Amino acid sequence: MLISLSLFQLPHGLPPTCLDLKTEVEKRFLRDPAWLPVHDVDDAFHKFLKISARDREVESLLHCSLSPLHSGLSVVRDPTTGLLLDFTEVLLEDTGLSAKNSLSLQRQPGPPSESLRGSNTNYPFLPAGMEELTLEQITKKSELEEEIDFEKDLLTVPPGLKAGMDFTDKEAKTTKSELNLLSLLSTFDDAIDALPEEKEGVSQKEETVKLPRTNSLEDLGIKDSGSSPSQPSANTVSLTEQKKKAQQEDKGDNKKWAVPVDITSACDDFYKRIPDPAFKYPFELDVFQKQAILRLEAHDSVFVAAHTSAGKTVVAEYAIALSQKHMTRTIYTSPIKALSNQKFRDFKTTFSDVGLLTGDVQLSPESSCLIMTTEILRSMLYNGSEVIRDLEWVIFDEVHYINDAERGVVWEEVLIMLPEHVSIILLSATVPNSVEFSEWIGRIKKRPIYVISTIKRPVPLEHYLYTGNSTKTQKELFLLLDPSGNFLTKGYYAAVEAKKERTSKHAQSFGTKNVSQHNTTASQDRAVWQTLLNYLSQRQQTPVVAFTFSRTRCDENARSLTSLDLTSSIEKSEIHSFLQKSLTRLRGGDRQLPQILSMRDLLKRGIGVHHSGILPILKEIIEMLFSRGLVKVLFATETFAMGVNMPARTVVFDSIRKHDGTGFRNLLPGEYIQMAGRAGRRGLDATGTVIILCKAGVHDMGDLHAMMLGKPTVLQSQFRLTYSMILNLLRVEALRVTDMMRRSFSENHRDTQAHEKRISELRNTLSSLPPLDSEGQLSDLLSYYHTITELRITTETLQRAVLESVNGLKALSVGRVVIVNNGQHHNALGVILQVSNDAVNRTFTALIICEKGNEEAAGDDQSNKAFHPIYSTSLFIPEGPCSHTVQKLKLQDISAITTKTLKVIPERIIDNYNKRQQPRFRLDPPGQAISTATQELLRLAEANPNGITTLDPVNDLHLKAVDVVEGVMRHRVLQDCLKDFHCIHSPTFTEQFARVQERMCVQEELDKLLFLVSDQSLTLLPEYHQRIKVLEALQYVDSTGAVQLKGRVACQISSHELLLTELLFENTLSPLAPEESAALLSCLIFTQNTQIDPHITSTLQEGINQVLNVAQRIGELQRECGIPQTAEDFVAQFKFGLTEVVYCWARGMPFAEIAQLTDVQEGTIVRCIQRLDEVLKEVRQAARIVGDSVLGSKMERASLAIRRDIVFTASLYTH
């Protein structure tokens, strides 16, 4: 109490307490119900009214772009004063065309956001050389089409939906609407012309209903004839155009599309013909460059196959300058990203207006010259990018890359998809079949391609063998191939001698072969390199590129040269400052990476290493230092020759064998030339030096000769069907996949033009042949012909089988009686006298009985074609006196082997016969041996007039192959059939049979040619049907070939499209965190095998199992549909070695620690993560199409998580 009293005496009373909420509510609520909004009826009612009685705006849900105006206004002026008199309405054409329904360049541009890359719902522009449909094709119906009656046949259920709507009026119809074209047309003044117009209009209406496959009226060349009666009907227009075209084609029949350009004679009038060149060079151009420029000025396509460092870039530069002058654009594509970056830097200095598009970089895409990788150009073409409209040139650099098994197909796709207005420039190393390749491009593009190739290298090469390995032997350099291409065996033997002197006595006595050819110890290697490099730097032969075909070997060789120092102090400081400047863009921790520190030490001494395991930024530093001449020795793998244009003075080959993924093999001439070609810098060196090291023993002379002087690899098609190609073409109805296959380089052997010509000739021949008489007895003549033809073919196959078998040949020995059938003899008996030894075209010399006067052999051509119209087994018996002949028979002349043999003396018979062939002995009587044999044969024939017993292939010769057994049975059946035909008894049988035979020969040739020109003969057609089956089973396309949602998603994805799409639709990525999904997707990119098992989270492990299950499922499905790849192989493509690395990287672990987690080299990790970013972008797009915004934003987060530090340092070339 006391306390409480004292509290009451506070100056300001009690402190305020928190009111009890419950009592507060009770007080307010029970006294004043309106305080709770539930009870405020009026207010609530007003609110309800607001919600229920609001105006519905259905249109706000639909986004419809305004339809284009179909007419415009034109002004009529007074011709003398120019006063405005009137406006008239002019109908515009092609207003309904858009990127979603037409392949035409007349279509309206899409939204600006899609102008660069296009969109995967766009149609591409019409590729050049794809024939637009002719009127005949349009009017001809395909099997799927039918006449539609717009009154009765309309569907009530749309395809693909379960239910539909029936719009037909249920009440009885009053009358059919009387509105027809005539009543519409009568509104025009000149209604008199209306009747013919109407008919045409109607027929066209029907046509538009039943067009085969096309996307816009404009493609068909049909305009609605109702639109303007004064115009001539569009049909007639396109027909006259067709006639013109046809005439032109007739003129250019059998025309060669590839035109080789002669570069031996100087091009004197160059400056007259091009007084104002688009680009002026500070040096005098070579003839091949001038010729190419003349062709470019004429806007022709060229293929320049020139030796390394001959100056192909001049052609590319001129094209870029031309397009800048013409205000058009050029696209320069290269196979490798590094090369794109270098070209960007080179062209940026020459022309300022240059942009770069690679998977991860996009620099000034609005420029007039765009540099990109071929894959990006392919997706731009498929997605109908607006850039294609302004495109004048596409330059393909390093076209010999089309031989690449993995990516070669991309070049072919791009070449096929380019539209007509784009000209093509192909730059390549020397290839033997440049004309054939250009012929292919010219044919599919229907335009000539000028082929320009250089004859020799501008800087000749000298090839040496090097056997030195110590200061004493350091000068042991032997010339093997001189600049004019002579192979010097003297040099080779000198090298062998030099090597021999140093081998042990044992090896000398047993030859050097058993020294292991390819393996030497590291210390031996080091001695060789140390010696050679000292020697070369004394002789001022640096810079040197040393090609080594293994990355570890490159690193070891460079590291072992600890005492070698090739740079002066000035050069050292230059290297140091360049390194410092270049590495400033890295974060502090990244500058201390072990690879960078060790490389810095090597670079200062003038030694560099270049292979795919090196960090990209280091590679670029090394390339730049090398091109400045500060790196004196560069240990590089083959990629350096392919992707980097950096010549040296000397090229050294560490070995001439390399591992190509399956096993070790010698270098191919093409590879050797490509690498050796890096030697010799134009304008700096008189000759380039190529040195082959002989570390263990001297290489085999044959191998060396083949490698140095062999033909370089020909360009070969690597065309294959990919799912994304099929889906991209299927979503555009007017382009068929078979069109793409028919135009591929792999189908280049199909000479369709010549075939077509021959087909029309044969058709004319057929129509001019006399008609067949098929009345009465001759009614079964045709089936008789087919039966006897089949019998003949069966007999021939059996003969071949017998004669190729061991037993058959044994039976055909000297003295065997055979039945002979050819143009001259019919079922005549003969006896074999001699059998030739060659197994390929074995001939049998035989004595055959014949009529007197029929001894001379008939001409060969006739003997093959004619076969006897009546099949009979009865033997030939001469009507008059029996004569004989000795002839060489081919296998097909012997129709059966009898069971009989005769004792003959072959030499005597042949000698006697040959003697009596001479004019002076012609009338002598035949010798004893011949007479006896002839009499014996005649006796046999007379004893068995209806046929003699022959050796049965199955029972007597014991041939047990299935086809032989079946053949024998078929033979019997056919023989029995022949008895039942009536036509044999007809008096005119032989003459009619000859007619049938002539007719059928023509028909058979025609059918064969028709098959060859048709799609059925495409090599890849079966595989195409198999892949379509796979896509149907996975519901990417429906049974009619229309692309479904899954197919649209797969179009977005460039590699492993099936697996990724399946993962998307199965929500595999949904439960994973962003960094886990990035780690999981790394399996699509990483291709190496690793020794270290990654440690990963359990959710990620589940994800991996899911990916493997999906891959297994797709692999098995492909197998079921007939694709040869096994499910195991399909699953094995996906390697999960980098999952942990990527996971840790996405979670922010520094690069130095990540490199410790795996045995994969740093450069490979960086490249893998860079490409992973592209995959994440694709998945993000795909998720947007599906409408999965959560996944989309997750991919974006994953992308941001991996885009950091050293992995995404911008290239030195682009900044």
Side-chain angles (χ1 to χ4, degrees):
M1 280 303 286
L2 283 170
I3 293 166
S4 68
L5 275 172
S6 58
L7 278 173
F8 273 115
Q9 287 152 6
L10 287 172
H12 297 290
L14 286 168
T17 57
C18 179
L19 283 172
D20 181 6
L21 285 176
K22 198 170 159 197
T23 54
E24 174 86 355
V25 171
E26 280 171 1
K27 193 169 75 180
R28 297 277 307 264
F29 176 49
L30 295 174
R31 286 184 201 153
D32 180 11
W35 179 74
L36 256 189
V38 179
H39 296 279
D40 187 356
V41 187
D42 289 352
D43 190 34
F45 183 64
H46 285 304
K47 273 187 185 158
F48 171 72
L49 275 181
K50 255 188 203 160
I51 291 169
S52 60
R54 69 162 189 254
D55 295 337
R56 289 200 191 88
E57 285 188 42
V58 181
E59 284 86 358
S60 68
L61 301 174
L62 305 171
H63 291 292
C64 272
S65 52
L66 294 173
S67 70
L69 293 172
H70 288 283
S71 61
L73 291 179
S74 95
V75 177
V76 180
R77 293 182 182 276
D78 184 303
T80 48
T81 60
L83 270 178
L84 201 153
L85 301 177
D86 194 5
F87 291 100
T88 55
E89 189 177 6
V90 181
L91 290 176
L92 303 174
E93 291 179 4
D94 304 336
T95 46
L97 305 184
S98 73
K100 310 294 180 212
N101 67 10
S102 161
L103 301 168
S104 161
L105 285 163
Q106 311 292 323
R107 70 192 196 195
Q108 295 195 346
S113 59
E114 290 175 2
S115 67
L116 180 66
R117 298 278 175 118
S119 135
N120 79 334
T121 53
N122 279 359
Y123 279 16
F125 291 108
L126 183 76
M130 292 269 180
E131 295 83 13
E132 298 206 28
L133 296 173
T134 60
L135 266 181
E136 290 80 52
Q137 284 168 306
I138 293 164
T139 43
K140 199 175 81 188
K141 284 194 234 138
S142 76
E143 311 84 76
L144 299 173
E145 288 164 346
E146 52 199 331
E147 288 281 353
I148 295 179
D149 180 340
F150 280 102
E151 298 292 332
K152 308 188 188 79
D153 296 346
L154 296 179
L155 298 177
T156 53
V157 181
L161 297 187
K162 291 189 178 63
M165 290 177 100
D166 191 357
F167 288 105
T168 50
D169 291 341
K170 293 293 175 280
E171 302 86 56
K173 288 220 173 92
T174 46
T175 51
K176 272 177 73 172
S177 104
E178 278 306 306
L179 184 68
N180 63 3
L181 269 179
L182 200 58
S183 59
L184 285 176
L185 285 167
S186 60
T187 53
F188 289 101
D189 307 338
D190 43 1
I192 316 118
D193 316 340
L195 266 169
E197 283 285 355
E198 179 208 355
K199 281 182 194 155
E200 225 173 275
V202 172
S203 68
Q204 281 178 8
K205 271 217 156 131
E206 284 171 9
E207 279 169 22
T208 44
V209 174
K210 55 180 194 249
L211 297 179
R213 293 177 57 132
T214 172
N215 299 302
S216 63
L217 276 178
E218 178 262 350
D219 285 349
L220 299 177
I222 291 185
K223 303 191 180 68
D224 210 350
S225 54
S227 63
S228 135
S230 54
Q231 293 175 341
S233 131
N235 287 5
T236 53
V237 175
S238 58
L239 273 174
T240 50
E241 277 175 17
Q242 267 172 20
K243 275 183 197 151
K244 269 189 211 153
K245 264 194 184 162
Q247 285 165 1
Q248 286 168 357
E249 277 172 13
D250 282 349
K251 275 183 214 151
D253 207 21
N254 287 337
K255 137 175 192 205
K256 287 272 178 264
W257 294 108
V259 185
V261 176
D262 172 35
I263 59 156
T264 47
S265 50
C267 182
D268 301 325
D269 55 349
F270 177 71
Y271 296 104
K272 263 192 217 140
R273 286 166 70 177
I274 305 178
D276 177 26
F279 191 80
K280 296 188 173 63
Y281 292 93
F283 49 86
E284 178 64 23
L285 295 177
D286 289 352
V287 179
F288 88 91
Q289 293 165 332
K290 287 182 181 173
Q291 289 287 6
I293 287 173
L294 287 172
R295 301 273 54 113
L296 297 189
E297 284 281 357
H299 198 62
D300 288 322
S301 298
V302 292
F303 182 124
V304 181
H307 290 80
T308 328
S309 76
K312 293 188 284 276
T313 320
V314 165
V315 185
E317 284 174 342
Y318 197 85
I320 296 168
L322 254 185
S323 76
Q324 291 190 348
K325 183 174 166 184
H326 297 167
M327 306 283 207
T328 53
R329 304 179 87 161
T330 300
I331 286 180
Y332 183 100
T333 73
S334 71
I336 298 172
K337 207 165 82 179
L339 203 57
S340 299
N341 292 342
Q342 274 182 27
K343 283 296 174 204
F344 176 72
R345 183 192 60 172
D346 298 349
F347 288 158
K348 191 86 179 161
T349 48
T350 322
F351 314 94
S352 50
D353 192 16
V354 179
L356 177 69
L357 290 180
T358 54
D360 51 354
V361 186
Q362 181 168 319
L363 297 173
S364 49
E366 66 294 328
S367 313
S368 73
C369 170
L370 286 178
I371 294 171
M372 58 181 75
T373 47
T374 323
E375 273 78 0
I376 288 175
L377 177 56
R378 169 176 67 173
S379 83
M380 280 167 67
L381 285 165
Y382 278 137
N383 295 342
S385 152
E386 300 296 334
V387 174
I388 309 294
R389 285 176 190 272
D390 315 331
L391 196 54
E392 184 175 10
W393 302 105
V394 174
I395 303 165
F396 294 94
D397 200 1
E398 310 281 345
V399 178
H400 43 268
Y401 221 92
I402 203 165
N403 282 346
D404 183 80
E406 188 57 33
R407 294 171 56 208
V409 57
V410 182
W411 271 255
E412 291 195 43
E413 277 179 84
V414 169
L415 284 166
I416 294 168
M417 290 295 294
L418 282 174
E420 202 165 359
H421 64 278
V422 184
S423 293
I424 302 167
I425 298 172
L426 302 140
L427 307 177
S428 138
T430 43
V431 282
N433 61 338
S434 52
V435 175
E436 180 199 354
F437 185 71
S438 310
E439 180 71 31
W440 163 66
I441 295 176
R443 208 180 63 242
I444 60 170
K445 290 289 161 226
K446 303 233 183 328
R447 57 189 300 171
I449 308 276
Y450 290 87
V451 185
I452 299 171
S453 39
T454 54
I455 304 159
K456 57 179 201 313
R457 293 178 48 88
V459 180
L461 293 183
E462 295 176 334
H463 304 255
Y464 292 91
L465 290 175
Y466 187 72
T467 56
N469 63 0
S470 63
T471 12
K472 199 170 77 193
T473 59
Q474 71 170 7
K475 292 196 172 60
E476 290 186 0
L477 196 60
F478 304 98
L479 183 62
L480 188 63
L481 190 69
D482 65 10
S484 50
N486 303 317
F487 191 82
L488 311 171
T489 44
K490 196 172 79 195
Y492 178 80
Y493 291 122
V496 174
E497 281 305 311
K499 199 80 190 148
K500 216 175 191 178
E501 275 172 30
R502 292 199 299 282
T503 47
S504 68
K505 284 279 173 282
H506 170 82
Q508 273 189 27
S509 49
F510 294 102
T512 52
K513 266 285 181 253
N514 40 16
V515 180
S516 97
Q517 279 271 308
H518 319 297
N519 301 329
T520 44
T521 60
S523 59
Q524 282 173 313
D525 268 14
R526 182 171 163 258
V528 172
W529 281 112
Q530 193 95 33
T531 315
L532 174 69
L533 295 173
N534 276 325
Y535 177 59
L536 290 177
S537 65
Q538 282 165 25
R539 288 183 44 180
Q540 316 267 287
Q541 289 281 67
T542 56
V544 179
V545 179
F547 284 112
T548 315
F549 301 113
S550 106
R551 292 187 298 240
T552 40
R553 209 58 178 296
C554 273
D555 296 336
E556 283 166 11
N557 284 342
R559 277 197 218 106
S560 67
L561 301 171
T562 39
S563 59
L564 191 68
D565 188 347
L566 302 168
T567 49
S568 64
S569 50
I570 301 170
E571 288 174 328
K572 280 190 173 55
S573 70
E574 215 177 313
I575 293 170
H576 178 78
S577 58
F578 183 76
L579 272 168
Q580 290 303 92
K581 198 173 87 211
S582 306
L583 293 174
T584 46
R585 52 182 66 202
L586 295 183
R587 274 198 9 202
D590 287 341
R591 288 182 211 166
Q592 301 306 312
L593 286 173
Q595 198 184 60
I596 290 183
L597 296 176
S598 67
M599 196 59 74
R600 172 182 258 168
D601 173 50
L602 284 172
L603 285 171
K604 288 205 176 138
R605 293 187 286 116
I607 301 169
V609 179
H610 188 287
H611 57 68
S612 59
I614 304 285
L615 293 163
I617 186 162
L618 263 185
K619 266 208 291 211
E620 291 182 344
I621 289 174
I622 291 164
E623 285 163 16
M624 289 176 165
L625 288 173
F626 183 79
S627 60
R628 289 191 194 181
L630 295 170
V631 168
K632 308 292 184 188
V633 179
L634 181 61
F635 289 96
T637 50
E638 196 177 357
T639 42
F640 181 79
M642 195 63 185
V644 187
N645 184 18
M646 303 213 164
R649 174 167 285 183
T650 308
V651 165
V652 180
F653 285 92
D654 175 69
S655 154
I656 63 164
R657 293 175 69 72
K658 72 167 207 177
H659 192 277
D660 61 356
T662 46
F664 280 98
R665 60 170 174 77
N666 283 345
L667 288 182
L668 299 171
E671 295 167 330
Y672 179 77
I673 290 164
Q674 178 83 24
M675 287 183 262
R678 297 286 151 214
R681 296 160 301 173
R682 192 166 185 180
L684 291 171
D685 308 326
T687 58
T689 310
V690 183
I691 297 175
I692 298 173
L693 296 189
C694 305
K695 292 191 297 195
V698 185
H699 306 282
D700 181 59
M701 182 152 73
D703 291 349
L704 290 171
H705 190 276
M707 180 179 75
M708 293 173 168
L709 296 170
K711 267 259 187 288
T713 331
V714 291
L715 293 178
Q716 275 171 329
S717 175
Q718 299 294 340
F719 187 79
R720 60 182 202 297
L721 290 170
T722 60
Y723 289 111
S724 64
M725 178 202 302
I726 293 174
L727 289 166
N728 266 313
L729 291 170
L730 281 179
R731 69 186 176 82
V732 183
E733 290 175 346
L735 301 177
R736 295 193 184 83
V737 186
T738 46
D739 286 342
M740 180 72 110
M741 286 148 56
R742 198 178 317 115
R743 285 175 175 70
S744 76
F745 188 35
S746 56
E747 295 289 344
N748 187 35
H749 56 268
R750 298 160 66 99
D751 186 3
T752 329
Q753 245 180 351
H755 288 341
E756 295 281 4
K757 200 171 164 195
R758 181 83 184 117
I759 285 174
S760 59
E761 282 173 18
L762 289 171
R763 283 196 168 132
N764 295 340
T765 319
L766 260 186
S767 54
S768 65
L769 286 177
L772 295 178
D773 182 0
S774 56
E775 294 304 305
Q777 275 186 319
L778 291 169
S779 55
D780 53 5
L781 185 60
L782 264 179
S783 50
Y784 177 78
Y785 173 81
H786 291 306
T787 315
I788 199 153
T789 313
E790 193 183 343
L791 181 61
R792 191 174 103 241
I793 292 166
T794 317
T795 317
E796 276 173 13
T797 19
L798 280 176
Q799 264 171 281
R800 211 167 307 124
V802 167
L803 300 170
E804 281 167 6
S805 68
V806 185
N807 292 353
L809 281 175
K810 265 191 203 153
L812 281 173
S813 53
V814 175
R816 173 69 68 181
V817 177
V818 289
I819 300 176
V820 181
N821 265 309
N822 54 21
Q824 183 188 357
H825 305 283
H826 176 57
N827 282 355
L829 286 185
V831 60
I832 294 183
L833 305 173
Q834 258 183 8
V835 183
S836 71
N837 290 330
D838 60 332
V840 191
N841 302 318
R842 188 164 300 224
T843 58
F844 303 92
T845 311
L847 170 78
I848 308 154
I849 53 172
C850 61
E851 288 284 1
K852 189 121 185 79
N854 186 21
E855 290 93 351
E856 295 303 313
D860 277 350
D861 52 341
Q862 176 198 342
S863 63
N864 292 341
K865 282 187 188 158
F867 66 95
H868 215 274
I870 296 180
Y871 182 85
S872 72
T873 51
S874 52
L875 296 179
F876 158 79
I877 299 171
E879 290 167 8
C882 175
S883 179
H884 62 267
T885 170
V886 172
Q887 285 179 1
K888 282 201 167 153
L889 299 178
K890 298 199 186 75
L891 282 179
Q892 55 268 31
D893 298 338
I894 299 175
S895 59
I897 308 173
T898 67
T899 47
K900 304 274 187 286
T901 53
L902 295 181
K903 285 234 176 352
V904 287
I905 311 165
E907 294 77 18
R908 270 200 209 162
I909 296 182
I910 294 173
D911 291 347
N912 182 281
Y913 182 77
N914 289 344
K915 181 180 127 188
R916 285 183 303 114
Q917 289 310 299
Q918 295 168 17
R920 39 190 266 244
F921 301 116
R922 182 145 288 177
L923 299 172
D924 286 15
Q928 176 63 38
I930 289 193
S931 311
T932 323
T934 316
Q935 290 307 319
E936 286 286 323
L937 288 175
L938 186 59
R939 222 188 61 241
L940 268 177
E942 284 167 346
N944 306 293
N946 295 331
I948 190 167
T949 45
T950 58
L951 292 177
D952 180 282
V954 180
N955 300 336
D956 301 328
L957 297 173
H958 309 298
L959 298 184
K960 296 286 186 255
V962 180
D963 44 349
V964 177
V965 179
E966 280 177 358
V968 170
M969 287 155 71
R970 182 95 195 105
H971 195 266
R972 283 193 201 127
V973 175
L974 290 168
Q975 260 177 314
D976 297 343
C977 282
L978 287 178
K979 300 193 182 87
D980 309 335
F981 283 102
H982 301 298
C983 53
I984 325 175
H985 310 305
S986 159
T988 55
F989 170 71
T990 30
E991 161 196 353
Q992 289 296 340
F993 185 82
R995 276 192 194 179
V996 173
Q997 195 177 345
E998 182 184 10
R999 193 180 200 97
M1000 295 314 278
C1001 280
V1002 177
Q1003 187 63 51
E1004 277 162 23
E1005 188 182 351
L1006 183 63
D1007 292 345
K1008 197 160 127 196
L1009 287 176
L1010 284 171
F1011 170 73
L1012 285 177
V1013 243
S1014 74
D1015 290 343
Q1016 300 310 310
S1017 61
L1018 291 169
T1019 345
L1020 288 172
L1021 196 71
E1023 189 195 339
Y1024 168 57
H1025 292 311
Q1026 290 158 1
R1027 287 190 184 255
I1028 289 283
K1029 260 198 229 151
V1030 174
L1031 291 172
E1032 272 180 29
L1034 293 170
Q1035 294 173 338
Y1036 285 60
V1037 296
D1038 65 10
S1039 54
T1040 60
V1043 179
Q1044 305 300 306
L1045 176 65
K1046 276 170 113 176
R1048 296 240 169 240
V1049 171
C1051 281
Q1052 275 293 336
I1053 297 162
S1054 54
S1055 60
H1056 301 306
E1057 48 278 359
L1058 290 191
L1059 184 75
L1060 246 179
T1061 313
E1062 289 302 305
L1063 294 181
L1064 264 179
F1065 278 85
E1066 291 192 4
N1067 272 342
T1068 311
L1069 299 170
S1070 299
L1072 303 177
E1075 48 270 23
E1076 288 176 327
S1077 42
L1080 186 62
L1081 292 174
S1082 70
C1083 73
L1084 301 174
I1085 292 151
F1086 184 59
T1087 51
Q1088 295 180 0
N1089 293 318
T1090 51
Q1091 306 305 318
I1092 299 172
D1093 288 332
H1095 307 288
I1096 40 183
T1097 60
S1098 55
T1099 43
L1100 197 48
Q1101 189 55 56
E1102 268 170 47
I1104 290 181
N1105 295 339
Q1106 244 173 316
V1107 170
L1108 290 172
N1109 289 341
V1110 172
Q1112 182 69 27
R1113 208 183 68 229
I1114 296 174
E1116 283 165 4
L1117 174 69
Q1118 291 197 131
R1119 200 64 225 235
E1120 282 161 29
C1121 293
I1123 290 175
Q1125 188 184 31
T1126 61
E1128 290 72 38
D1129 286 351
F1130 184 76
V1131 176
Q1133 314 174 64
F1134 308 108
K1135 310 262 199 308
F1136 295 92
L1138 279 191
T1139 36
E1140 181 189 8
V1141 172
V1142 176
Y1143 179 66
C1144 296
W1145 176 252
R1147 294 187 57 188
M1149 190 188 269
F1151 194 80
E1153 293 174 34
I1154 280 182
Q1156 305 300 314
L1157 294 174
T1158 174
D1159 53 355
V1160 179
Q1161 287 181 305
E1162 292 90 333
T1164 314
I1165 298 176
V1166 170
R1167 244 199 6 265
C1168 182
I1169 298 178
Q1170 285 174 343
R1171 288 185 45 210
L1172 178 63
D1173 184 53
E1174 294 169 34
V1175 173
L1176 292 174
K1177 268 188 204 154
E1178 286 176 349
V1179 177
R1180 194 168 82 213
Q1181 300 266 208
R1184 295 228 170 105
I1185 297 178
V1186 185
D1188 187 346
S1189 54
V1190 182
L1191 182 62
S1193 53
K1194 183 193 287 183
M1195 290 298 125
E1196 204 147 352
R1197 288 207 302 283
S1199 201
L1200 285 172
I1202 62 171
R1203 287 187 74 90
R1204 61 183 178 85
D1205 300 356
I1206 189 161
V1207 176
F1208 281 86
T1209 320
S1211 158
L1212 295 176
Y1213 287 116
T1214 57
H1215 286 273

